[in-house]
Amino acid sequence: MKRYALLPLITLALSACGGGEGGSENSTQPSALSAVEGKIENVSGSAITVNGQQFQVGSVSYRNQSIPASILAADMNVSLNTGARAAMSAKSGSDVQLDPTFTGKITEIDPKLGTFKVSGVSLTFSNLSNQIKNGDWVMVSTLPTANAGYKVLSVIKFGYDADGMVEVEGRISDIDFNNKSFKVGSSLKVWFAGADINNAKKLRNGAWVEVFGRTQENAFGVEAVTAEKIMIKSFSGVNGRGEIEGIVTWVDKDYSRFEVNYRGIFEIHKSTKYDCEDGDICNNYSLREGMEVEVDYVANAKGNFAKEIEFEDDSDVDGDWDKFEFKMKGYADNLDDTELSFEIGGVKVYTDNNTEFDDELNFDSIGNCRLEVEGVIINGDHVAREIECEDD
């Protein structure tokens, strides 16, 4: 079934063309990466700059449908496959994949306040184009903020087909396996009965999901989204070197690991390098929740390992992040094998794909010792990031 209008395929190859380290035309840095993910910093002719590296624009797509390259603009989130096969031949270069947080109909625009809704989610963006009107179909790129919020980077108008589905991304909260529903963001309800889920066992509170479905509307606007497809997003699909730009959403108490965009944990090693603006001195102890970073990493079966962390000079770190962290100690009880949750002192704690179990623990054995737990709070849900036995 057609969901998006088929548009002419742009056949230019995607290949690195300088930028990054030294800006040399012969630089091998981009081709050594297998995946690049971040926002477009600049568009110049048929080239885009992502994470400080310039790439010749290749075919552009969204959900496996060809999109004209003319849609590309600064601050759009994209992902690029820059594997060895693509680097070997300019004629077989890879696709630039658009990676928005939301697609859907824009409503309730207030130009004075810079507020609007997309698929029922309230957003704020002071630079919204006056060419975008209520009822237009838009593509919104964002970064996460504390407590299930969104920092809007760009809002782009694009062609819409009447058979199209909306897309919403966000952190799951208030999941109900009996009613087959959960919330994305702070309030949008998603019904998932019958949905195609890429890893149903990991569908639980705290997971970052990409939902494709159809809106349910009432007299007041969008009431909910009925999901047809749900993707649990992480960095596990990368095999080899990757690069991600995003927001630090959690830092381990001993600064040995950290999380980016709620989607994946990165381990820090002695060999990890750090790049700071203006010649400042920085290291792993410089990491803070809410910071914007670029991470060059290596992914394998054991996890994601940070090769280099670049601290962005325009990072906007506010106090909100501290309000949505928790640390607790105690014995686990009331274990729930369906939700993969437990309680400490009457507080329910959820685990998700990014929960790290130390001291050879796993969910089934957390009752064997007094625990130390730290994590984040999303819409009132306590989600563990690290669980370990309390030191004697």
Side-chain angles (χ1 to χ4, degrees):
M1 178 177 65
K2 181 180 68 172
R3 291 195 171 102
Y4 291 88
L6 293 177
L7 300 166
L9 178 66
I10 308 300
T11 56
L12 296 176
L14 170 66
S15 59
C17 54
E21 297 182 355
S24 169
E25 292 182 0
N26 295 322
S27 172
T28 60
Q29 176 74 4
S31 62
L33 296 166
S34 61
V36 175
E37 197 174 326
K39 67 176 182 288
I40 297 175
E41 298 164 15
N42 182 56
V43 179
S44 178
S46 60
I48 60 174
T49 302
V50 180
N51 298 352
Q53 299 178 89
Q54 192 178 64
F55 297 89
Q56 191 68 27
V57 174
S59 58
V60 181
S61 65
Y62 173 64
R63 299 198 64 227
N64 298 319
Q65 298 294 325
S66 176
I67 301 291
S70 58
I71 196 175
L72 297 175
D75 293 323
M76 293 180 72
N77 287 338
V78 295
S79 60
L80 299 85
N81 183 346
T82 58
R85 181 178 300 179
M88 288 173 59
S89 172
K91 292 183 179 180
S92 60
S94 299
D95 182 31
V96 179
Q97 299 177 36
L98 305 182
D99 189 21
T101 312
F102 300 97
T103 60
K105 187 168 59 176
I106 191 170
T107 59
E108 301 184 33
I109 298 173
D110 187 328
K112 292 183 179 180
L113 298 178
T115 58
F116 56 93
K117 288 186 176 181
V118 176
S119 299
V121 178
S122 297
L123 300 167
T124 301
F125 186 54
S126 59
N127 294 324
L128 185 68
S129 170
N130 58 15
Q131 300 299 310
I132 294 177
K133 307 297 182 184
N134 282 320
D136 287 341
W137 200 258
V138 296
M139 181 175 286
V140 183
S141 295
T142 76
L143 288 173
T145 63
N147 198 34
Y150 299 93
K151 176 184 177 181
V152 177
L153 303 176
S154 64
V155 182
I156 305 296
K157 183 179 178 179
F158 80 114
Y160 164 61
D161 187 303
D163 290 329
M165 292 191 294
V166 302
E167 174 183 353
V168 295
E169 281 193 24
R171 198 86 185 271
I172 290 179
S173 64
D174 292 343
I175 194 165
D176 187 328
F177 289 99
N178 293 322
N179 292 329
K180 304 294 183 183
S181 69
F182 57 79
K183 287 183 180 178
V184 165
S186 62
S187 60
L188 181 65
K189 176 162 284 189
V190 175
W191 301 98
F192 64 88
D196 178 15
I197 306 172
N198 69 327
N199 195 335
K201 292 182 178 179
K202 295 182 179 180
L203 189 72
R204 51 187 184 265
N205 285 327
W208 186 272
V209 291
E210 186 177 57
V211 178
F212 299 97
R214 305 189 185 279
T215 57
Q216 297 179 4
E217 301 186 21
N218 57 26
F220 302 100
V222 174
E223 181 182 31
V225 170
T226 299
E228 294 191 13
K229 185 175 183 179
I230 298 174
M231 300 289 293
I232 298 173
K233 297 188 70 173
S234 68
F235 305 120
S236 60
V238 176
N239 185 17
R241 275 187 65 191
E243 190 173 82
I244 176 69
E245 177 186 29
I247 296 292
V248 176
T249 46
W250 173 76
V251 183
D252 188 12
K253 63 180 182 295
D254 62 3
Y255 295 90
S256 63
R257 55 172 77 112
F258 63 101
E259 181 186 59
V260 175
N261 291 350
Y262 294 120
R263 287 173 44 199
I265 302 291
F266 294 93
E267 303 281 346
I268 296 174
H269 282 203
K270 292 181 179 180
S271 61
T272 300
K273 298 179 180 179
Y274 305 91
D275 185 0
C276 304
E277 296 290 334
D278 302 323
D280 293 338
I281 297 175
C282 59
N283 51 38
N284 55 320
Y285 296 102
S286 304
L287 287 165
R288 296 289 185 275
E289 289 88 352
M291 289 183 118
E292 189 170 345
V293 294
E294 292 179 12
V295 183
D296 186 343
Y297 65 96
V298 174
N300 58 35
K302 295 182 178 180
N304 302 318
F305 303 91
K307 287 177 58 67
E308 182 173 3
I309 303 169
E310 180 178 341
F311 296 85
E312 297 293 295
D313 59 350
D314 60 347
S315 293
D316 181 17
V317 181
D318 56 51
D320 286 345
W321 291 89
D322 293 336
K323 300 175 184 177
F324 300 104
E325 299 177 344
F326 74 91
K327 296 179 182 179
M328 61 175 62
K329 297 180 180 181
Y331 289 98
D333 56 17
N334 294 330
L335 275 67
D336 188 318
D337 293 333
T338 301
E339 294 182 330
L340 292 180
S341 67
F342 59 94
E343 293 185 9
I344 291 182
V347 177
K348 180 177 282 192
V349 179
Y350 297 90
T351 63
D352 68 3
N353 192 39
N354 292 336
T355 301
E356 298 280 342
F357 292 90
D358 293 339
D359 301 326
E360 299 184 352
L361 289 173
N362 56 42
F363 184 81
D364 294 328
S365 66
I366 57 176
N368 295 341
C369 66
R370 181 176 167 86
L371 300 176
E372 290 186 16
V373 182
E374 61 176 288
V376 294
I377 303 172
I378 300 294
N379 282 348
D381 292 333
H382 291 65
V383 183
R385 280 288 148 265
E386 185 175 50
I387 300 175
E388 60 186 355
C389 291
E390 184 180 13
D391 294 334
D392 295 332

